[in-house]
Amino acid sequence: MARRLQGTGENAATVVGADVGVDADRRWTLERLALELRSMRSAAGHPSYAEIARRIAAHRAGRGVPPAERRPARATVYDCFRTDRRRVDVDLVVDIVRALGASESECAWWVRACSAAQRQADAATVVSVHADLPAAVDEFVGRDRAVDLIVSSGAAGTGPRLFSIEGLAGAGKTQLAVRAARRLVDRGDVDAAIVADLRGFDRDSPPADPYAVMAACLRVLGVPARQIPADSQRRSALFAERLRDRRCVVILDDAADADQVRPLLPDAHDGVVLITSRTAVSELIGAVPVALGALSTDESVSLLRQVAGAELVEADPDAAADLVEESGGLPLAVGLTATRVAARPGWSLRDHVAVLRERRRTLRLDDAVRASLDLSYSALPASARAVVRLLAVHPCDDLDLPSIAALTGRELADVRGDVDDLTRHHLLDQPRPGRYAMHALVRTYALDRSHDEDRPADRRDAMLRLCDHVAAMVWGAYHASHRAEGEGPRRHPARLTVPALSEDDARTWLSANLATILTLAGHGSDTGRDGLVVELSEGAASWLNTFGHYREARLLHQMALDHATTAGDRPAAARARLDLGMTLVRLSENALGSRQLHRALNVFDDMGDVRGAGVAMNALAIIDVHEGRLDDAIERFQRAGEYARAAGDGVGIATALDNTAIVLRRAGRLDEAAHHHELGLQQAELIGDTYRVSTGMINLAEVQLLLDRPEDALTSAGRGLELARALANAPAIAYGNDNLATVLSTLGDHAAALTHYEEALALSRDIGDRHLEAGVLNNIGTASFKLGDVERARSHHSDALIVSSGIDDDFEKARALGGLGAVLAAGDDVDEARRMWTDSLAIFERLGAPEATDIRDCLNRFHERPEA
């Protein structure tokens, strides 16, 4: 049966020495930092990594660092010199440069350089990948031959699968890719589409990390976040496997270069990959080149006719030809010119030609696209012009209407009409329903106009309003999910006006705006709100944890920790370490999680923050459970309860009692376990915490079943699941289904049990809870065996063994081995069954689990009792 160990999720309320350009210099990368470190090491006489570690230990001793934390491992020091690192330990890097002879002012510069490089690396992992094709524009001319080439060659089994669509900005590369992909989907040549924005030429954000794009693609392909490998080779293998399983057309939009694209190109699959780029990458990656230049005059006139109307064009074909020639022939420019013509029906084409030529003569940038954009901009009402200028300021991929209203400082109803105008004039796109984005050329133009027409303070204030709006929504979502606790144990910044949201609205908004949250957090001081990343990290932590966004949580909390550490904000750093540590535990990275949690606990103890200390202690106890140290876990959960009582933290008290009961059950102390579950339920009911009442009843059901009280167990599990469904809490529903199924199976209703198990398994994979997944797989194996389906039992126990071994869950590993032993014995493979049971027994005995008795009985029945 499943037992959900609960985290409360809460705590109390570029040359070395250069001092310019570090934060803003996008050239600072983790690779460059590693090369700089190598250069320093060489200049210092090339000391060994062991010698550097020795020097670090001496420096740390002088600063009073505890002995256990003084000397880093040689391999840890070596890792900082690797050029393929994804994260940097700022403290360790600074200690390394100090050991290599850097002055304190140089060390301060290294802190800033590391932060800048990490921000670039983190920003590169914020990616936009969608399973739906954007809407194609109605007006599309001059590219039919290119579309036909892709569709005919890309049809299943008839030709190349990889195409590189290359050309100038505004040449219509993305629209061509979308149109070709739509044709492939409609013809049935592929089953699905994936669109990834690689941001190769984005002004505000670095090119997307290809392995982050790969992870997002895997999620679109149905792989739960927690099952996506961290190792790049394993991730690539899984990506290739999933693409082989499904025929997809994959659009890799706006590629920076071949190096960014290569990892995203599987060796063989039945789909089609369409790459768009401003650079020539086809020869470097072996793709079929599809080069796009300007439209011909006839094609441009055809586009003008489609948008502006045939009557005007046919009335003066020479003027039409002159007009599109002045527009430069790029689809973006011609389309914008045509839109302006359509918006002024009283003007002749000659009027438009005259104005365009005059404007081109007076522009600082003699560019046809700039001229067309300028005329479209001039045709807008003043309010819409103000909106488009400020929309160029923010760094996000897209925004919703309330965010645009906040950015511009206007009411939602007022700004809606201007956004509609901008969309009609093709100055804004809708990549998804309700989301608005700018083409890169439009953004560049609008930002230039803003520098001409707006004060720097106007742009700064717009960003501050957007940051405050997003932060207020994050905290509104936080309070919505903690309504049972009043405002919740955390406090939002006083400057924010936090909206009252329902839990459903909060979840919907957070899901739609997760990329926006990460982007704003990653831009740090560029937003003008220096501590924003800390505010977003603290407000979003519980939602990210509850709904399984562990990798995004890791990124956000690490950024918050880096900021708080650099700023010298010790309490904020401790809270970030707490949230990061709990996330790492969810990702089964127990060693890293333990390190962060211990450091947070020490700070909370020093500060007298008993609530924070209790939460950290609870998380450390969960690590003990996962690693089989049950006595240590019980002691830590009890200490967490003591902290919670000292803080008057009712949620912490209920959590500690329920978690203690779970460990007591694993240790076979069933009467004590039932008593602690009942105490935890009383506490949860006392504070009106329906969520913990639900999980408490679900967990109690397992103990009641083991105490031979199946009817009580059925009542508890059913009630717990009912409450979980009312809360729409996916993890609780998953655990509730699993435990109810086990009760039903014990009562002999194996078929009904399997229905609940299957729902629990699907949910466990969706939320990325691999401990639950392993348990449910074992439970399905056991139920299948009882129904006589030996092959299904073998398959599920084998899968459980793989999952549990991968996350070091010894309890479920022992269950899987025991189940496989039963399957093998049923097939008369007695010797192999004995081996499985012997290994299972050794683990259960080490854990002190009562399941050891059943395994020992199995061995005795086959006359092979192992020595004690």
Side-chain angles (χ1 to χ4, degrees), residues 435-451:
R435 312 290 301 185
Y436 297 89
M438 268 185 170
H439 187 281
L441 291 179
V442 178
R443 182 185 288 267
T444 299
Y445 170 85
L447 188 60
D448 189 41
R449 294 305 305 241
S450 178
H451 282 285

Side-chain angles (χ1 to χ4, degrees), residues 573-655:
R575 293 192 295 272
R577 289 189 192 281
L578 175 63
D579 290 332
L580 178 60
M582 291 192 293
T583 298
L584 291 168
V585 173
R586 290 293 185 194
L587 288 167
S588 300
E589 297 185 34
N590 291 339
L592 291 174
S594 178
R595 176 186 174 191
Q596 298 294 351
L597 291 166
H598 275 293
R599 294 178 73 173
L601 178 60
N602 290 339
V603 174
F604 289 139
D605 277 337
D606 288 347
M607 294 166 48
D609 183 348
V610 289
R611 184 191 292 271
V615 177
M617 188 67 71
N618 181 80
L620 286 167
I622 291 175
I623 295 176
D624 289 331
V625 176
H626 289 166
E627 296 185 350
R629 298 185 296 271
L630 301 189
D631 289 341
D632 291 343
I634 291 171
E635 180 184 351
R636 276 204 168 113
F637 280 135
Q638 290 174 342
R639 289 172 61 192
E642 292 168 3
Y643 277 122
R645 290 184 183 88
D649 177 10
V651 171
I653 296 170
T655 299

Side-chain angles (χ1 to χ4, degrees), residues 657-800:
L657 287 167
D658 202 53
N659 284 347
T660 301
I662 291 170
V663 188
L664 289 168
R665 172 260 172 270
R666 281 203 176 187
R669 296 157 61 178
L670 300 181
D671 289 328
E672 293 176 78
H675 177 63
H676 278 77
H677 275 314
E678 288 161 359
L679 290 176
L681 277 169
Q682 292 172 14
Q683 176 63 32
E685 289 168 347
L686 178 66
I687 61 175
D689 190 332
T690 306
Y691 169 70
R692 282 172 176 78
V693 172
S694 169
T695 55
M697 297 193 77
I698 290 167
N699 291 331
L700 175 61
E702 179 179 9
V703 178
Q704 291 171 328
L705 191 61
L706 291 171
L707 288 170
D708 198 25
R709 294 160 50 192
E711 295 302 326
D712 290 341
L714 185 64
T715 300
S716 296
R719 178 58 178 156
L721 178 58
E722 180 185 353
L723 291 173
R725 291 195 191 282
L727 293 169
N729 186 285
I733 294 170
Y735 279 87
N737 270 293
D738 187 49
N739 281 15
L740 178 58
T742 301
V743 176
L744 291 169
S745 184
T746 301
L747 292 172
D749 194 348
H750 304 302
L754 284 172
T755 299
H756 286 284
Y757 280 141
E758 291 294 347
E759 183 179 356
L761 182 61
L763 284 169
S764 72
R765 289 171 170 168
D766 186 50
I767 62 178
D769 191 331
R770 304 210 74 192
H771 293 282
L772 175 59
E773 181 185 359
V776 178
L777 286 167
N778 273 325
N779 291 337
I780 293 176
T782 300
S784 298
F785 187 77
K786 290 177 180 178
L787 285 170
D789 192 342
V790 177
E791 282 309 309
R792 187 181 188 190
R794 183 198 306 273
S795 172
H796 281 76
H797 283 309
S798 296
D799 287 349

Side-chain angles (χ1 to χ4, degrees), residues 70-310:
R70 287 177 187 168
R71 183 162 185 163
R74 175 189 174 281
T76 304
V77 173
Y78 166 75
D79 278 346
C80 292
F81 291 82
R82 288 170 43 200
T83 57
D84 59 347
R85 297 289 291 171
R86 297 296 179 88
R87 298 215 63 81
V88 61
D89 186 330
V90 179
D91 294 339
L92 180 56
V93 169
V94 172
D95 280 341
I96 288 173
V97 299
R98 187 179 285 116
L100 293 174
S103 66
E104 287 307 307
S105 63
E106 290 170 336
C107 288
W109 179 91
W110 273 93
V111 170
R112 295 194 296 275
C114 287
S115 297
Q118 189 65 66
R119 281 197 296 273
Q120 287 295 307
D122 289 340
T125 67
V126 179
V127 298
S128 176
V129 175
H130 301 289
D132 299 320
L133 289 170
V137 296
D138 295 330
E139 303 82 17
F140 186 83
V141 300
R143 309 301 193 198
D144 290 338
R145 185 174 299 176
V147 173
D148 291 341
L149 169 68
I150 293 171
V151 173
S152 60
S153 298
T158 63
R161 329 297 297 166
L162 179 60
F163 300 86
S164 177
I165 305 169
E166 300 163 2
L168 293 171
K173 300 182 294 295
T174 300
Q175 284 300 329
L176 171 61
V178 169
R179 187 165 292 261
R182 176 64 65 192
R183 286 266 301 276
L184 288 167
V185 172
D186 291 344
R187 284 161 49 109
D189 294 325
V190 296
D191 301 323
I194 299 174
V195 183
D197 181 3
L198 300 190
R199 292 198 312 266
F201 295 88
D202 190 280
R203 178 184 63 84
D204 292 305
S205 300
D209 182 297
Y211 292 99
V213 173
M214 193 182 297
C217 289
L218 284 168
R219 293 186 69 167
V220 167
L221 289 168
V223 180
R226 198 167 179 185
Q227 294 182 17
I228 297 173
D231 176 75
S232 58
Q233 290 185 342
R234 291 176 57 218
R235 184 176 294 184
S236 296
L238 180 60
F239 183 50
E241 175 188 328
R242 288 305 174 106
L243 284 183
R244 284 193 296 270
D245 291 342
R246 293 186 66 185
R247 297 180 305 155
C248 293
V249 55
V250 180
I251 297 177
L252 303 177
D253 194 28
D254 193 21
D257 51 35
D259 289 338
Q260 185 188 28
V261 171
R262 279 196 192 94
L264 298 166
L265 305 179
D267 293 335
H269 65 106
D270 289 334
V272 177
V273 178
L274 305 178
I275 301 157
T276 73
S277 181
R278 300 185 196 180
T279 62
V281 299
S282 54
E283 291 185 8
L284 301 176
I285 60 175
V288 176
V290 181
L292 298 186
L295 298 173
S296 69
T297 299
D298 288 345
E299 291 167 341
S300 296
V301 169
S302 177
L303 179 56
L304 179 64
R305 180 184 290 109
Q306 290 183 30
V307 177

